[in-house]
């Protein structure tokens, strides 16, 4: 499924990736997102934990964009007004 996507927005790891015993889901998704990026898919990783996973697996430079702003990133994509962005945009 991941490899067929044209755009991927990933917010939140799949399990407790900090522990080797439980990292399989997050690592598998990360590998698929990296492969999709290499195939031309736009990939956005959002959220502190997901960004930390990208750092752990040394994949930060292998995806299109990594942001620590998970919830805020999703709200921006939804078209909601973010006060900080609005203020900067007005200046």
């Amino acid at each position: 499924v991941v490899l067929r996507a044209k755009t991927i927005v990933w917010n939140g790891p799949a399990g407790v990736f900090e522990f080797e015993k439980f990292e399989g889901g997050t690592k598998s998704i990360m590998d698929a997102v990296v492969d999709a990026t290499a195939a031309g898919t736009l990939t956005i990783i959002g959220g502190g934990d997901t960004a930390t996973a990208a750092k752990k697996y040394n994949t930060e430079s292998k995806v299109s964009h990594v942001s620590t702003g998970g919830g805020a990133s999703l709200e921006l994509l939804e078209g909601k007004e973010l006060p900080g962005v609005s203020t900067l945009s007005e200046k």
Side-chain angles (χ1 to χ4, degrees), residues 25-76:
T26 298
K27 179 72 168 89
S28 294
I29 294 170
M30 186 67 73
D31 291 342
V33 169
V34 167
D35 290 345
T37 306
T41 300
L42 172 65
T43 55
I44 302 166
I45 292 178
D49 288 336
T50 317
T52 299
K55 183 172 184 166
K56 175 180 180 176
Y57 302 127
N58 197 30
T59 57
E60 294 165 300
S61 65
K62 298 177 183 176
V63 298
S64 304
H65 182 74
V66 178
S67 169
T68 57
S73 295
L74 293 177
E75 288 182 4
L76 184 64

